C-alpha cells in the first residue's frame, strides 16, 4: 500500500485515470446543477442556495488564481463555520489548491508552527481569526501572496496583497481557469491532528479519499436531498467536515450553529428548520442531556430522523439516556473513524443499537478492518489487537513527515493505534489506545504537549498528564506536578497553562511532593500517577468548602 | 458589591486571567471565544451559587448569558420576588 511520504509539489504521485466524478468540488457543482435554487446553507437569518454557494466558490477560486495561485498550492482557511468558509473551501479546490482548514481555537503559539510548515500561498480568515496571523513570525508568510479578510485593522506586510473576502465572494471580475484541473489522487485537503509526539500532524487526503468516504457514509445514513443537518461541529474537524461533504453531495441543507453552548437556542432552531439529522461527539450529547431539556421537547422534533455519534467512546449510560430522551422515531447511529480515514471507518446499524450497545459496529462500504495481534498476525474473534484499516478513504500520508507516515501506513493499511476485538458476529469493540493519547470532548490531546507547557513555566520540575473521567467531556486532562519551589501554587500554574493552551487542554492540577513515581527503567509510572491523582481528587472533593 | 461588578470580576479573573483588554459589558462571550460550553457551565454554577438563583435548561439562551450586560439583566429578573 502507500508507504511513500507525501511531497508538496508535483503531486500526481499515483497518476490514475482522470475521473472527474471523484473530484471533491464536483460534489457541490453537481448539486448546484441538479437543484440550483435549493437552500444549501442556513446561517442565522441568512440562507444561500446551491447556485449562490457554487457561484461564490467560483469567484473565490478565480480570485485566487488571479493572485498567482497554482495547482497544488496551499490555501489556509481560518474561519468559523459559515457561508464564507464553505465558499472558501470549495473555491480553493476549484482553483486546484489544497485546502487546509485550521483549528479556530488555536492560539497564535499553536498556529505559528503550522503556518511555518505550510507556507500557504493564500490565507482566508474571518475578522476575529485574522489578528492571530500576525502574532506569529513573518517567516511563516514568506510564500503568502494574498490574505483574504475583511478585518481593516490588520498590519500590512510588504509583498502580501490584501483582498476583501466578502467583496471577492460577490464580485465576478475574474473567470475560473479549469484547464489544469486536479486529478483524483491529488491532495484535496490537509487536516491537522495532534500526533503521538504532541506536534500537530497534517493528514493529507486526496480527492478520491474524501469522495469515496463521502459516498460510503451517504449510503449508511440513507442521506437524500430531503435531509437537513444541524451542524454544530466545526468544519476544521474531520467529523464536522464530513457533514459538509455528505450533505452538499446529496443536495441537502446544512444549518450552521456555532453556539451549541446555548442548547435551548439550538433545539429551537432544530424545530424551526425541521432538522432531520444531528451529529455530535460524546460531550455534545452529555451536554445536550444535562443542560437542554431535550426530553421535554421530544414531541416537537417529528422530523429528526437520526442522531449520529463519533469522536471517541461514549459511555453506555449516556447512550441509554440519549435513547430515552430522543423521540422513538429518531435512530441513534454510533460511528467510528479517524482523520487519517477521511472521516469514518465503521458504523453500528441502529437496529443493533441496544443489542450491541458497546460496539462501534462494522465497516462502512469499501473499508476493511483487520485486527492484528502483537506479532502482526490476524487475531481470532474475541482476541484483542490493533485495528488496522484499509480502503480508498485511507490518507496518502502525513505532510512533511515520512517517519510518522511509515509508522502509520504499511501493507496492511492504516494502523489506528486503537485496540479492540471482533465478536463472533463480526461486530467490532474498542478497548483502549495503544499509546497514551486521550480524547477530550472528541478532540485528540497528547499528554506530552501539556507536560511540555507545564515544564516550560519554570514552576515545575516534572509533570505527568493523565486522562480523568469527565461527565461532560468523556475525559479531561489532569496533571500531577512536582513544583519547582515551595511557594508555587496550582492556581498560578493553571493560569500559565490556560494562557498557552486551548481551554480544553488546560489540565486540572495536583501538586505532589518532591518526585513522581517511576518504573524500573526510570520512566514516569503513569499508572501510579493516576492513582495519586484520583486520591488527591477524592480528598479535594471531601475538603470543606470544595 | 453590585451584581455587574461581581459578574465582570468573575469573568475577567477566570476566563481572561485578569487581562480585561478590550472586554466590555456587551462583548459576546461565545463569539469572541472567551468561554466555551464548559466555561458556560462554570458561569452558570457561579451565578446559581453567588446569587442564589436556579437557572433552567430552557433559559440557556444568548439573550440571557452571552454578555455581562445580558447576564446582569437576567440575574436581576430572576431575583425579582
Amino acid at each position: 500500500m502507500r508507504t511513500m511520504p507525501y511531497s508538496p509539489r508535483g503531486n500526481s504521485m499515483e497518476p490514475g485515470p482522470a475521473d472527474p466524478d471523484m473530484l471533491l468540488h464536483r460534489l457541490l457543482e453537481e448539486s448546484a446543477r441538479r437543484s440550483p435554487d435549493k437552500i444549501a446553507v442556513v446561517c442565522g437569518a441568512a440562507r444561500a442556495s446551491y447556485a449562490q454557494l457554487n457561484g461564490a466558490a467560483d469567484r473565490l477560486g478565480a480570485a485566487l488564481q488571479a493572485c498567482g495561485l497554482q495547482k497544488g498550492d496551499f490555501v489556509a482557511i481560518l474561519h468559523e463555520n459559515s457561508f464564507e468558509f464553505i465558499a472558501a473551501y470549495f473555491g480553493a479546490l476549484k482553483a486546484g489548491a489544497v485546502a487546509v482548514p485550521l483549528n479556530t481555537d488555536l492560539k497564535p503559539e499553536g498556529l505559528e508552527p503550522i503556518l511555518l510548515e505550510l507556507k500557504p500561498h493564500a490565507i482566508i480568515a474571518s475578522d476575529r481569526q485574522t489578528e492571530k496571523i500576525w502574532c506569529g513570525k513573518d517567516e511563516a508568510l514568506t510564500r503568502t501572496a494574498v490574505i483574504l479578510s475583511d478585518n481593516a485593522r490588520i498590519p500590512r506586510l510588504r509583498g502580501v496583497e490584501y483582498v476583501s473576502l466578502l467583496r471577492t465572494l460577490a464580485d465576478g471580475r475574474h473567470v475560473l481557469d479549469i484547464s489544469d484541473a486536479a486529478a483524483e489522487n491529488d491532495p484535496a485537503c490537509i487536516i491537522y491532528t495532534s500526533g503521538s509526539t504532541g506536534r500537530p500532524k497534517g493528514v493529507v487526503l486526496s480527492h478520491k479519499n474524501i469522495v469515496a468516504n463521502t459516498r460510503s457514509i451517504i449510503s449508511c445514513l440513507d442521506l437524500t436531498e430531503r435531509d437537513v443537518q444541524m451542524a454544530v461541529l466545526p468544519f476544521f474537524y474531520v467529523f464536522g467536515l464530513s457533514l459538509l461533504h455528505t450533505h452538499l453531495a446529496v443536495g441537502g441543507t446544512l444549518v450552521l450553529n456555532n453556539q451549541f453552548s446555548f442548547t435551548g437556542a439550538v433545539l429551537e432552531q432544530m424545530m424551526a428548520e425541521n432538522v432531520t439529522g444531528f451529529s455530535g461527539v460524546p460531550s455534545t450529547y452529555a451536554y445536550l442531556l444535562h443542560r437542554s431539556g431535550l426530553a421535554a421537547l421530544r414531541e416537537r422534533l417529528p422530523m429528526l430522523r437520526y442522531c449520529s455519534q463519533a469522536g471517541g467512546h461514549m459511555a453506555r449510560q449516556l447512550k441509554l439516556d440519549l435513547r430515552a430522551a430522543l423521540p422513538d422515531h429518531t435512530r441513534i447511529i454510533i460511528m467510528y473513524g479517524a482523520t487519517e480515514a477521511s472521516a469514518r471507518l465503521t458504523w453500528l446499524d441502529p437496529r443493533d443499537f441496544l443489542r450491541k450497545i458497546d460496539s462501534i459496529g462494522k465497516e462502512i462500504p469499501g473499508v476493511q478492518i483487520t485486527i492484528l495481534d502483537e506479532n502482526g498476525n490476524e487475531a481470532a474473534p474475541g482476541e484483542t489487537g490493533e485495528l488496522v484499516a484499509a480502503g480508498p478513504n485511507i490518507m496518502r500520508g502525513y505532510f512533511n513527515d515520512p517517519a510518522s507516515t511509515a509508522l502509520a501506513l504499511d501493507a496492511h493499511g492504516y494502523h489506528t493505534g486503537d485496540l479492540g476485538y471482533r465478536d463472533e458476529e463480526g461486530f467490532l469493540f474498542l478497548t483502549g489506545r495503544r499509546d497514551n493519547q486521550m480524547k477530550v470532548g472528541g478532540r485528540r490531546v497528547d499528554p506530552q504537549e501539556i507536560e511540555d507547557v507545564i515544564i516550560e513555566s519554570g514552576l515545575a520540575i516534572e509533570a505527568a498528564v493523565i486522562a480523568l473521567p469527565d461527565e461532560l467531556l468523556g475525559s479531561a486532562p489532569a496533571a500531577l506536578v512536582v513544583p519547582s519551589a515551595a511557594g508555587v501554587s496550582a492556581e498560578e500554574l493553571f493560569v500559565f497553562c490556560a494562557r498557552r493552551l486551548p481551554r480544553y487542554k488546560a489540565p486540572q492540577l495536583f501538586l505532589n511532593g518532591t518526585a513522581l513515581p517511576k518504573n524500573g527503567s526510570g520512566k514516569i509510572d503513569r499508572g501510579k500517577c493516576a492513582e495519586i491523582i484520583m486520591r488527591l481528587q477524592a480528598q479535594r472533593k471531601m475538603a470543606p468548602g470544595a | 458589591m453590585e451584581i455587574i461588578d461581581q459578574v465582570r470580576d468573575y469573568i475577567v479573573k477566570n476566563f481572561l486571567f485578569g487581562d480585561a483588554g478590550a472586554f466590555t459589558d456587551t462583548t459576546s462571550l461565545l463569539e469572541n471565544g472567551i468561554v466555551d460550553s464548559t466555561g458556560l457551565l462554570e458561569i452558570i454554577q457561579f451565578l446559581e451559587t453567588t446569587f442564589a438563583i436556579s437557572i433552567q435548561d430552557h433559559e440557556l439562551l444568548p439573550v440571557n448569558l452571552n454578555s455581562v450586560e445580558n447576564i446582569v439583566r437576567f440575574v436581576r429578573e430572576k431575583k425579582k420576588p
Side-chain angles (χ1 to χ4, degrees):
Chain A
M1 266 197 65
R2 305 166 185 84
T3 51
M4 280 172 66
Y6 165 70
S7 60
R9 292 289 184 275
N11 41 34
S12 257
M13 207 169 64
E14 297 168 31
D19 178 358
D21 287 342
M22 291 308 277
L23 294 179
L24 180 50
H25 47 281
R26 280 294 287 260
L27 301 179
L28 169 64
E29 290 171 353
E30 277 304 301
S31 291
R33 191 186 55 76
R34 279 196 312 267
S35 29
D37 300 324
K38 176 89 196 293
I39 295 300
V41 188
V42 176
C43 193
R47 275 154 207 276
S49 69
Y50 273 92
Q52 287 169 322
L53 185 60
N54 192 44
D58 278 343
R59 289 187 283 278
L60 189 115
L64 289 172
Q65 287 175 335
C67 293
L69 178 125
Q70 303 206 334
K71 187 175 148 186
D73 280 340
F74 300 129
V75 175
I77 304 172
L78 263 169
H79 210 296
E80 296 75 19
N81 285 11
S82 56
F83 173 80
E84 291 82 3
F85 177 101
I86 304 173
Y89 179 75
F90 282 99
L93 294 171
K94 281 167 182 268
V98 180
V100 192
L102 295 175
N103 184 340
T104 51
D105 293 335
L106 280 176
K107 301 199 171 171
E109 294 80 9
L111 186 61
E112 187 187 303
I114 293 177
L115 289 179
L116 275 170
E117 174 178 80
L118 275 177
K119 301 247 169 66
H121 180 88
I123 301 175
I124 301 173
S126 67
D127 291 2
R128 194 182 127 213
Q129 298 290 329
T130 304
E131 302 189 12
K132 286 182 189 173
I133 302 170
W134 266 266
C135 302
K137 290 191 181 122
D138 291 353
E139 194 193 334
L141 304 175
T142 46
R143 279 201 216 135
T144 302
V146 58
I147 292 174
L148 289 107
S149 164
D150 291 288
N151 187 334
R153 287 170 302 169
I154 48 174
R156 303 290 158 129
L157 214 69
R158 197 178 299 168
V160 180
E161 198 174 334
Y162 297 85
V163 175
S164 158
L165 174 58
L166 292 176
R167 215 173 301 146
T168 304
L169 294 174
D171 171 15
R173 262 191 311 154
H174 306 288
V175 178
L176 188 72
D177 175 9
I178 52 166
S179 60
D180 189 20
E184 62 180 52
N185 287 317
D186 284 340
C189 287
I190 296 180
I191 302 183
Y192 275 88
T193 172
S194 296
S196 56
T197 59
R199 253 187 65 239
K201 278 195 279 192
V203 173
V204 181
L205 299 171
S206 70
H207 285 266
K208 185 180 170 182
N209 288 156
I210 296 173
V211 173
N213 200 239
T214 300
R215 289 180 181 166
S216 299
I217 298 168
I218 290 170
S219 81
C220 290
L221 300 185
D222 292 326
L223 293 175
T224 70
E225 75 283 358
R226 291 185 300 277
D227 274 297
V228 181
Q229 164 79 211
M230 166 55 78
V232 298
L233 297 170
F235 292 148
F236 61 75
Y237 169 43
V238 79
F239 188 11
L241 196 59
S242 78
L243 301 177
L244 177 67
H245 297 147
T246 49
H247 286 79
L248 292 187
V250 295
T253 300
L254 282 151
V255 180
L256 311 182
N257 190 316
N258 300 337
Q259 299 203 332
F260 176 65
S261 311
F262 296 121
T263 44
V266 171
L267 285 170
E268 283 296 332
Q269 194 179 20
M270 284 172 71
M271 293 183 250
E273 299 289 349
N274 288 319
V275 163
T276 63
F278 180 86
S279 300
V281 298
S283 63
T284 315
Y285 288 108
Y287 195 71
L288 206 55
L289 284 167
H290 283 113
R291 294 284 349 191
S292 77
L294 172 65
L297 297 169
R298 63 202 296 269
E299 302 306 324
R300 294 176 57 200
L301 292 163
M303 302 300 286
L304 188 64
R305 200 167 69 74
Y306 74 93
C307 285
S308 69
Q309 179 263 317
H313 170 72
M314 186 154 90
R316 178 192 288 213
Q317 191 55 48
L318 199 53
K319 289 178 184 170
L320 292 171
D321 291 347
L322 185 64
R323 183 60 280 164
L326 286 170
D328 292 341
H329 62 261
T330 304
R331 301 181 303 164
I332 299 176
I333 302 173
I334 305 297
M335 301 187 95
Y336 160 73
T339 307
E340 290 85 343
S342 302
R344 304 274 71 86
L345 286 166
T346 73
W347 77 301
L348 179 63
D349 189 315
R351 287 170 293 190
D352 295 312
F353 176 73
L354 287 173
R355 196 170 71 88
K356 297 284 178 184
I357 193 152
D358 294 321
S359 172
I360 53 165
K362 297 179 180 179
E363 293 94 329
I364 61 171
V367 171
Q368 303 89 44
I369 289 184
T370 316
I371 311 246
L372 295 182
D373 65 18
E374 283 175 357
N375 304 315
N377 299 317
E378 194 167 344
E383 204 183 315
T384 298
E386 185 187 17
L387 276 71
V388 180
N393 56 324
I394 301 302
M395 66 165 178
R396 293 188 33 170
Y398 294 111
F399 177 58
N400 266 356
D401 194 348
S404 298
T405 303
L407 283 175
L409 299 179
D410 68 10
H412 294 287
Y414 162 58
H415 288 250
T416 62
D418 286 317
L419 300 173
Y421 63 91
R422 199 188 281 278
D423 73 6
E424 295 287 351
E425 292 176 76
F427 288 90
L428 292 157
F429 294 79
L430 294 182
T431 52
R433 289 279 306 162
R434 200 179 53 179
D435 49 27
N436 295 322
Q437 291 192 354
M438 58 180 89
K439 276 207 166 176
V440 180
R443 292 173 280 203
R444 209 183 285 180
V445 174
D446 193 284
Q448 193 180 314
E449 185 192 352
I450 304 173
E451 289 161 12
D452 287 350
V453 170
I454 294 172
I455 298 300
E456 206 188 321
S457 71
L459 302 169
I461 296 167
E462 43 181 14
V465 170
I466 58 130
L468 269 186
D470 186 277
E471 211 175 35
L472 211 62
L473 299 169
S475 60
L480 191 64
V481 177
V482 179
S484 59
V488 171
S489 72
E491 231 177 13
E492 144 186 44
L493 201 49
F494 180 78
V495 167
F496 183 87
C497 292
R499 280 199 178 127
R500 297 296 308 274
L501 295 162
R503 192 164 174 80
Y504 68 92
K505 286 187 186 171
Q508 199 180 341
L509 287 153
F510 298 90
L511 302 183
N512 183 64
T514 51
L516 295 183
K518 311 272 182 357
N519 65 19
S521 62
K523 287 183 183 166
I524 292 172
D525 186 334
R526 289 175 180 278
K528 289 216 177 88
C529 290
E531 286 169 25
I532 296 174
I533 287 178
M534 305 269 205
R535 206 170 56 232
L536 292 171
Q537 193 191 33
Q539 285 170 6
R540 208 176 264 187
K541 277 184 183 157
M542 282 170 64
Chain B
M1 196 156 52
E2 288 282 321
I3 295 176
I4 190 161
D5 296 323
Q6 282 175 278
V7 172
R8 198 190 293 128
D9 286 358
Y10 174 79
I11 291 170
V12 170
K13 182 167 175 243
N14 290 282
F15 296 98
L16 298 164
F17 310 106
D19 178 17
F23 181 70
T24 71
D25 294 344
T26 54
T27 303
S28 163
L29 299 178
L30 254 84
E31 276 167 30
N32 291 292
I34 295 167
V35 300
D36 58 8
S37 51
T38 319
L40 195 71
L41 287 188
E42 289 169 23
I43 291 181
I44 290 165
Q45 199 177 28
F46 162 77
L47 297 175
E48 291 185 328
T49 333
T50 312
F51 303 111
I53 55 172
S54 164
I55 298 173
Q56 304 304 309
D57 293 340
H58 67 265
E59 293 172 323
L60 290 192
L61 299 168
V63 71
N64 294 336
L65 296 161
N66 202 22
S67 67
V68 170
E69 195 179 83
N70 289 4
I71 291 172
V72 171
R73 191 189 315 117
F74 177 57
V75 170
R76 286 210 180 107
E77 273 166 28
K78 296 284 286 183
K79 282 183 79 74
K80 268 185 198 161

